[in-house]
Amino acid sequence: MLFRSTVALEDDEILGIINSLPVESNHPRDKRSAKQWQFALQLMSTYGLRPGEIYFLEVRIVKGQYQVWCNYQKKNDTSLGKPRRVHALPPEWQKEWNLIDRIQNMTEDDLPVKSSANVGEACRKYLSGKPVWKAIKENKAIIPYSFRHGWSLRSHLDFGLSDTVSAKAMGHTVAVHNQIYSQYITEGLMDEAIEKGILRAKYDLPVFRDGTVRFDMSDVPVTHFTPKEVGVSWKKLINLGYKHDYLGNELTSDEQMLRSEEHTS
């Protein structure tokens, strides 16, 4: 099986390309294209998407949590892929670029126009004349997939995700993931994984399927809270007997911290 080049873009390179697009151009057509491709590159970089997957995103609310899902179903020789949840790495990009709201309200005009051409090829053509892209390409064999490769690199080197977790988030098998991205699994990551395994075994720590160790706080009493955290207005809490915050200041805001045990009815 042949795979595309796995040259990844570093975070500063990604930001350099995205921020250099002429979104304030005086030419309406250039300005519109720049905004569309900027949004597309933000999605590809933040969620590790294939170029063609940007048109298949939706936001689902699961147990009160906003989740981004990709409904693109990739075909291979034997089966059809399944919709998958995608994850923002780094999560700051999702917040900074307001991606949840933009995906929820996304229209056809927000993304590059679909054409008969491959989306990745359309992306390559658009970027080919952009100065920052050209400068990076002089030293690295980058392609549109390099934004997606950057997510994989980040997931392993910066966030320490396993190949199993990264592969699921990217929508391919572990075997395919390792064939493409094995160079990102460094000796340092292997040493860290082994050390963690030894510590888990030594101290009998419970390990979840995603590789995390968690502390059960379900029986820990809540001693402090803010009106905002519990979804009750400060005015209503005054009626329930909470007159002051934990510092003794008069309660006047949903942001003040209260002691749960200190109120009079």
Side-chain angles (χ1 to χ4, degrees), residues 153-172:
L153 176 66
R154 201 177 306 120
S155 76
H156 292 303
L157 300 188
D158 294 343
F159 293 89
L161 300 188
S162 68
D163 55 356
T164 303
V165 174
S166 290
K168 185 173 183 179
M170 298 186 77
H172 49 217

Side-chain angles (χ1 to χ4, degrees), residues 138-210:
E138 288 181 359
N139 300 306
K140 298 172 69 171
I142 55 173
I143 59 175
Y145 262 73
S146 294
F147 294 94
R148 171 174 163 87
H149 298 333
W151 189 98
S152 181
L153 176 66
R154 201 177 306 120
S155 76
H156 292 303
L157 300 188
D158 294 343
F159 293 89
L161 300 188
S162 68
D163 55 356
T164 303
V165 174
S166 290
K168 185 173 183 179
M170 298 186 77
H172 49 217
T173 66
V174 175
V176 168
H177 187 85
N178 287 336
Q179 285 180 289
I180 301 174
Y181 300 115
S182 59
Q183 70 268 35
Y184 300 159
I185 311 298
T186 65
E187 289 295 325
L189 276 178
M190 291 180 64
D191 290 343
E192 181 181 354
I194 292 173
E195 289 172 4
K196 288 180 177 178
I198 293 172
L199 290 173
R200 289 164 183 159
K202 181 177 180 180
Y203 296 105
D204 193 26
L205 299 173
V207 182
F208 288 76
R209 285 182 295 177
D210 62 1

